[in-house]
Amino acid sequence: MGRIRVLVVDDHRIFAEALAAALAAEPDVEVGAAGSAAAAERALERAAAEGRAYDVALIDADLGGEAAGPGARARPGGEPAEEARRSPPPTVSPPAVPLSAVPPPAVPPPAVPAPRRPGAVSAVPGAVARSAEQVRAEQMRAEQARAEPLRTDQLRADQARAEQLRPAVPQPDGITLLGRLRRAHPGLRAVVLATVDDPHRAARALHAGATGWVAKESSLARLLAVVRGVLRDETHLPPALLTGVIRELTTARRDRTESERLVDTLTPREKQILRCMVAGLGRQAVAERLYLSPHTVRTHMQNVLGKLGVHSTLAAVAVARRAGVSPAEPVVPPSIASAP
């Protein structure tokens, strides 16, 4: 079979390093590791560009986990993710002092020279009396010089506060990432590493393109047997999961059949509207896309909801997705479409 290139995708650093080291001890296995979805995508793209594509990806089902607080991601059992445990707690900047509350700097009043008698000599040789405009200009420069540090501190405090309030970008879980990687790299085999055997998630993983499901507590021999099996186009599931997975797949197929029946009751125009709804387009956007009035689009949308037996756009989109309805294609601007 030759050498097998395996990519371990797990954000639990200790487990990932231990697994990678154990696999690398096999004479026919070459191992890489990625601690996040973005790192896994970069590693696969780089390997494909170099002509050394990975054969199998071992993906943690709980990759990313749930948000346990600002900037932290909790793993099953309440354990924080490795990145969260290594990150220092966020610091809170003191409230910035508004510039309006800062008293203006004290500037001594300009010295007014005593009136000179005809023929008298100035007490200070070379002294020139300052005009009122010069005094005001000096006062403004002094105020700006004193206020500049306060403005800088306030800007930094505002930036820190904005960073803390910025919503965290949700990371895909392992199964979502699996489907994305399989679409981008069709030749890649994917095996899910799971802490808990869950028939629903296992069925979802199979639907996304997985060909293996292995418990993290399994032996290295078991994992290697699954890796070599999926490279022979075999599907490997623990025996305890088979009944539950078959039930989940049967239910999903029944739901799909019912959804397909409902979608088939729509007219061609209503199916167009439904595809636009799946693409996330609002009423006005649909009207502009299909050259219809917003009132006509509203009527079509109400008919779609009624025929599908739902009461909201989200529910209609869920039925459409179960039926395999694809979203409407994005509109390409003429300048882009005509570009060479």
Side-chain angles (χ1 to χ4, degrees):
M1 181 179 290
R3 292 185 65 79
I4 304 171
R5 299 204 73 218
V6 178
L7 179 65
V8 179
V9 185
D10 196 311
D11 56 1
H12 193 291
R13 183 175 57 84
I14 297 177
F15 175 83
E17 290 178 353
L19 177 58
L23 289 172
E26 297 294 316
D28 62 339
V29 178
E30 184 178 343
V31 186
S36 67
E41 291 173 324
R42 288 195 299 268
L44 288 169
E45 291 172 1
R46 184 168 57 250
E50 295 172 353
R52 302 170 61 250
Y54 283 99
D55 302 302
V56 181
L58 306 179
I59 304 175
D60 179 19
D62 300 312
L63 184 72
E66 298 292 333
R73 293 184 287 110
R75 298 182 59 83
E79 179 187 1
E82 189 67 23
E83 290 86 352
R85 286 190 279 116
R86 291 200 302 266
S87 302
T91 58
V92 180
S93 302
V97 179
L99 292 177
S100 58
V102 179
V107 178
V112 180
R116 295 168 53 190
R117 296 188 302 275
V121 180
S122 174
V124 181
V128 179
R130 294 180 298 171
S131 66
E133 288 77 7
Q134 290 174 325
V135 172
R136 284 196 295 269
E138 292 178 1
Q139 289 178 335
M140 291 179 62
R141 284 195 295 269
E143 290 178 2
Q144 291 174 355
R146 291 174 61 88
E148 188 61 31
L150 292 174
R151 290 196 186 97
T152 303
D153 293 343
Q154 185 175 11
L155 178 60
R156 290 174 179 170
D158 291 342
Q159 290 175 341
R161 189 177 297 106
E163 186 69 24
Q164 293 171 4
L165 297 177
R166 182 178 300 162
V169 178
Q171 298 296 321
D173 66 358
I175 297 175
T176 301
L177 174 65
L178 186 154
R180 206 156 75 189
L181 297 182
R182 288 277 292 132
R183 288 190 295 271
H185 306 275
L188 179 71
R189 270 71 167 187
V191 175
V192 176
L193 303 176
T195 54
V196 178
D197 284 342
D198 182 346
H200 176 74
R201 299 184 75 190
R204 180 173 160 235
L206 291 178
H207 183 72
T211 51
W213 180 282
V214 180
K216 283 191 171 184
E217 60 193 25
S218 299
S219 65
L220 180 63
R222 165 65 181 164
L223 178 59
L224 287 170
V226 171
V227 168
R228 293 189 169 97
V230 298
L231 289 174
R232 296 191 297 266
D233 293 328
E234 300 172 358
T235 300
H236 285 254
L237 288 173
L241 272 180
L242 284 176
T243 302
V245 168
I246 292 174
R247 185 185 302 113
E248 289 285 339
L249 293 177
T250 302
T251 301
R253 180 58 198 167
R254 184 169 58 248
D255 291 342
R256 179 181 176 89
T257 303
E258 176 63 17
S259 299
E260 289 173 343
R261 185 188 66 77
L262 292 173
V263 171
D264 285 341
T265 64
L266 303 179
T267 66
R269 175 64 82 182
E270 289 166 351
K271 289 179 180 178
Q272 272 187 314
I273 298 290
L274 181 60
R275 292 186 64 204
C276 291
M277 294 164 65
V278 173
L281 301 180
R283 186 188 308 168
Q284 184 64 37
V286 175
E288 295 174 357
R289 184 188 185 103
L290 301 181
Y291 303 102
L292 300 172
S293 70
H295 177 75
T296 301
V297 171
R298 179 175 179 273
T299 301
H300 282 310
M301 285 185 169
Q302 289 177 340
N303 292 340
V304 169
L305 297 183
K307 290 183 178 181
L308 297 184
V310 296
H311 302 284
S312 69
T313 299
L314 289 178
V317 170
V319 173
R321 289 191 178 280
R322 286 198 296 270
V325 176
S326 58
E329 296 295 330
V331 176
V332 179
S335 59
I336 298 179
S338 60

